[in-house]
Amino acid sequence: ILNVEQSPQSLHVQEGDSTNFTCSFPSSNFYALHWYRWETAKSPEALFVMTLNGDEKKKGRISATLNTKEGYSYLYIKGSQPEDSATYLCAFYNQGGKLIFGQGTELSVKP
Amino acid sequence: DTAVSQTPKYLVTQMGNDKSIKCEQNLGHDTMYWYKQDSKKFLKIMFSYNNKELIINETVPNRFSPKSPDKAHLNLHINSLELGDSAVYFCASRDRDLNTEAFFGQGTRLTVV
């Protein structure tokens, strides 16, 4: 059974706060780790795809790190804005070709 | 010009009916997926096709049958619909390159009454 766990399940922050979420995944048979942003009534959209241990990626105020040996990834949002409110999903891609999603972290940013 | 398109967007049908959901991608991707979104918004993988061939079939009832006439299309046919089949179904596609992300359709909300 392939389990991808995300924490916390939900997060409420004030505008301007910085925040981070965790994604843990199996460290064996690793191919790639994806992060997606999923707004209500829309489809998930990719933020990052990371494949190498130690990878760090950044897009504006959002960044992510990857540790494949211990099986975790962090997503950071600096200076949260109300438009950052969404569910953030991570997904683990393994050698069997499965793209397995975590249950997501629901972020709410209050003005 | 939508990259991954699903039809219909909404589907309301009675128990026992047979229905299909269509998915098409114009990205030239080799791999396509079907996911079911449960009540907690969790995306559970159902099927994966690579270049028209089934590579992943999770523990999905036999009433669900995917069909891929070509690598740009992956349709989902559901026989004898049950109340528990009500959910949002998402189609996705990705390239064979491991460094690329999946692209999702807009989802099909299926309601069985």
Side-chain angles (χ1 to χ4, degrees), chain B residues 85-105:
Chain B
D85 297 331
S86 297
V88 181
Y89 292 85
F90 283 93
C91 174
S93 74
R94 64 182 303 275
D95 190 54
R96 68 182 71 182
D97 184 345
L98 295 176
N99 285 309
T100 59
E101 67 270 35
F103 291 82
F104 283 81

Side-chain angles (χ1 to χ4, degrees), chain A residues 31-32 34 36 38 43-44 46 49 51 87 93 97-103, chain B residues 33 35 37 41-43 45 56 58 90 94 98-102 104-106:
Chain A
Y31 260 15
H34 298 201
Y36 292 83
W38 193 5
S43 307
V49 176
T51 57
T87 296
Y93 187 66
K98 289 185 181 181
L99 188 61
I100 306 295
F101 282 84
Q103 75 276 30
Chain B
Y33 302 91
Y35 287 87
Q37 177 191 343
K41 214 178 178 180
F42 177 59
L43 287 174
I45 190 168
I56 294 169
E58 289 296 289
F90 283 93
R94 64 182 303 275
L98 295 176
N99 285 309
T100 59
E101 67 270 35
F104 283 81
Q106 77 274 28

Side-chain angles (χ1 to χ4, degrees), chain A residues 53-96:
Chain A
N53 185 44
D55 251 356
E56 290 188 27
K57 296 217 170 177
K58 188 176 181 182
K59 187 182 288 188
R61 293 179 291 100
I62 305 176
S63 60
T65 61
L66 178 67
N67 183 323
T68 61
K69 292 183 179 179
E70 295 181 41
Y72 65 84
S73 175
Y74 294 133
L75 186 79
Y76 301 92
I77 302 179
K78 185 178 179 182
S80 302
Q81 299 296 308
E83 57 265 31
D84 295 330
S85 298
T87 296
Y88 291 83
L89 300 171
C90 71
F92 167 75
Y93 187 66
N94 76 345
Q95 291 179 350

Side-chain angles (χ1 to χ4, degrees), chain B residues 3-113:
Chain B
V4 182
S5 60
Q6 291 179 231
T7 53
K9 192 172 181 180
Y10 300 98
L11 182 55
V12 181
T13 187
Q14 289 189 323
M15 279 176 58
N17 283 352
D18 302 338
K19 291 292 179 185
S20 291
I21 306 171
K22 295 185 177 181
C23 179
E24 175 181 6
Q25 52 96 3
N26 62 5
L27 299 167
H29 289 166
D30 291 318
T31 303
M32 296 184 73
Y33 302 91
W34 275 109
Y35 287 87
K36 181 180 180 181
Q37 177 191 343
D38 67 15
S39 56
K40 295 182 180 179
K41 214 178 178 180
F42 177 59
L43 287 174
K44 185 174 180 182
I45 190 168
M46 299 173 69
F47 301 103
S48 175
Y49 268 70
N50 188 50
N51 205 10
K52 299 193 299 177
E53 290 193 18
L54 178 67
I55 57 170
I56 294 169
N57 182 349
E58 289 296 289
T59 50
V60 177
N62 291 336
R63 299 181 294 102
F64 290 78
S65 54
K67 286 183 170 50
S68 183
D70 54 62
K71 76 172 193 176
H73 294 85
L74 180 61
N75 303 324
L76 184 65
H77 189 75
I78 315 169
N79 289 327
S80 303
L81 278 155
E82 300 177 357
L83 293 176
D85 297 331
S86 297
V88 181
Y89 292 85
F90 283 93
C91 174
S93 74
R94 64 182 303 275
D95 190 54
R96 68 182 71 182
D97 184 345
L98 295 176
N99 285 309
T100 59
E101 67 270 35
F103 291 82
F104 283 81
Q106 77 274 28
T108 296
R109 181 175 292 278
L110 171 66
T111 303
V112 182
V113 297

